[in-house]
Amino acid sequence: MNTSRAFPRLPLLVTAAAVLPLLCAPATVRAQTVLKIGHVLAKGSHYDVGATVFCDEVEKGTAGRYKCQMFPAGALGGEREQIEAVQLGTQDAVVTSTGPVGNFVPDIKILDIPFLFRDYDHARKVLDGKIGQDLLAKFPAKGLVALAWSENGFRHMTNSKRPITSAADASGLKMRTMENKVHMAGYKTFGILPTPMAFTELFTALQQGTVDGQENPVGVILASKFSQVQKHMSLTGHVYSPAMTLVSPTVWGKLSDADKKVFQAAGVKSAAATRKKVNEDEANGIAILKKDGMQIVEKVDGESFRKAVAPAYAEFAKEFGAANIAAIQAVK
């Protein structure tokens, strides 16, 4: 036996044995891409429901070539931080309210005008129609891909000081707001002292009395357990808050045309599931919050808020165009 020739072959045999399973592995396994998707709300929230449906649909539609790793409850930072990360390509996707998105795509700030929308049906028709689709088309130029309009809901006020039945009752309260100039301009007309703050910091700020209150949809108030740190809630419905799933252009640019259709369809189904959850939270949430000890003003003097904010509409018209505001209000 010639050992000098036998032993050198051993490493080659070992290498082949190690590589063989990889060569025989299904193509879907070899090519699988894991997408990092985040949001700021708790597990089980409407954002979480929407993100889960999106991820399930993407994985199913691409036969497992794409799947998600989900990061709820602000694990990847606040909404603005996550949007920036998606824009830069260091995060693949985010489910977010549109409040901070206006800092990246200014045209959508028009949606943040107080009392712009009459009800959920009106808001959804605007966003699903030409106006909403034209706004979505503006995102790629700003380094973001928006798949579909989802939902956060109509925003209501909570605070630890007193019931709010009219705009005068809100005057002097220090309220956490999103980093959104349109919201802040509107809330100042109510006499509120707007205090912009990342959502991830909000519960502690309420607990410590750094701010008196905040404003969010019922689903957010439920999921975030704000009843533990807020005594009063008023169903002001002062702003409708959309949401959306944003995807990084880095991811989008690598998708085939067929996969892009899968992602878009997943975004639409995700939005439908989110809206369904918002409907459920609106229907059941008030009773739950009452049971948790919140004192809720259900009949708010909405006209007092509309009168208070009316002067700000002149400034909104200058910024967004009176015709554009009227076009949204005219949708039936």
Side-chain angles (χ1 to χ4, degrees):
M1 180 178 179
N2 187 337
T3 56
S4 64
R5 292 187 176 180
F7 285 107
R9 292 181 184 174
L10 187 57
L12 294 177
L13 292 173
V14 172
T15 302
V19 170
L20 188 59
L22 296 176
L23 295 175
C24 297
T28 53
V29 173
R30 295 203 311 271
Q32 188 177 79
T33 298
V34 179
L35 303 172
K36 188 165 64 173
I37 181 170
H39 63 80
V40 298
L41 297 183
K43 286 185 177 180
S45 64
H46 53 288
Y47 281 8
D48 203 55
V49 167
T52 299
V53 168
F54 173 75
C55 292
D56 288 346
E57 290 296 318
V58 164
E59 185 170 359
K60 181 172 67 176
T62 62
R65 286 180 290 105
Y66 286 89
K67 65 180 298 183
C68 297
Q69 184 179 8
M70 290 175 54
F71 295 86
L76 298 178
E79 287 188 326
R80 181 163 184 161
E81 292 172 287
Q82 292 195 50
I83 295 165
E84 287 174 345
V86 168
Q87 191 179 46
L88 292 170
T90 56
Q91 181 174 326
D92 300 310
V94 60
V95 178
T96 176
S97 68
T98 55
V101 178
N103 295 303
F104 301 84
V105 187
D107 287 325
I108 73 160
K109 289 181 182 179
I110 191 172
L111 303 176
D112 296 316
I113 295 175
F115 300 106
L116 179 66
F117 296 101
R118 296 184 297 275
D119 50 32
Y120 279 108
D121 182 62
H122 178 210
R124 292 167 181 175
K125 283 180 178 176
V126 169
L127 295 177
D128 294 342
K130 186 178 186 305
I131 292 172
Q133 299 312 299
D134 286 348
L135 287 173
L136 289 183
K138 296 180 182 293
F139 278 72
K142 304 298 183 179
L144 292 164
V145 177
L147 297 179
W149 291 107
S150 186
E151 191 162 80
N152 206 21
F154 277 93
R155 305 177 79 87
H156 307 293
M157 297 180 188
T158 73
N159 78 96
S160 60
K161 299 292 187 182
R162 56 182 177 267
I164 296 173
T165 59
S166 69
D169 298 323
S171 183
L173 291 174
K174 191 174 183 181
M175 287 267 197
R176 175 269 175 180
T177 64
M178 290 188 283
E179 296 177 78
N180 183 302
K181 291 182 179 179
V182 175
H183 281 191
M184 293 170 70
Y187 301 163
K188 284 178 181 177
T189 68
F190 308 147
I192 285 172
L193 305 175
T195 306
M197 180 186 299
F199 185 82
T200 48
E201 302 170 12
L202 179 53
F203 188 93
T204 300
L206 293 170
Q207 191 174 44
Q208 296 177 347
T210 306
V211 290
D212 301 317
Q214 61 86 50
E215 42 83 55
N216 259 303
V218 172
V220 176
I221 294 167
L222 273 173
S224 306
K225 302 188 184 303
F226 287 152
S227 59
Q228 296 179 6
V229 288
Q230 296 278 268
K231 183 177 180 180
H232 303 284
M233 177 177 175
S234 297
L235 303 185
T236 49
H238 50 280
V239 167
Y240 172 77
S241 178
M244 51 184 28
T245 301
L246 300 177
V247 174
S248 170
T250 303
V251 171
W252 191 252
K254 295 177 181 177
L255 298 178
S256 66
D257 288 344
D259 285 344
K260 285 178 180 177
K261 289 180 181 178
V262 169
F263 274 61
Q264 287 173 324
V268 171
K269 288 188 177 181
S270 169
T274 303
R275 287 175 176 177
K276 182 174 183 290
K277 175 63 173 168
V278 168
N279 288 344
E280 292 169 357
D281 287 342
E282 289 277 348
N284 306 318
I286 302 302
I288 295 171
L289 292 170
K290 283 182 178 178
K291 187 177 178 181
D292 288 344
M294 290 193 88
Q295 296 180 14
I296 299 178
V297 177
E298 297 188 52
K299 294 184 178 180
V300 174
D301 181 3
E303 189 59 28
S304 70
F305 283 95
R306 289 181 178 86
K307 285 181 178 178
V309 79
Y313 263 71
E315 292 303 314
F316 296 148
K318 288 180 183 177
E319 183 171 357
F320 303 113
N324 293 327
I325 294 173
I328 290 174
Q329 293 174 324
V331 172
K332 302 295 184 183

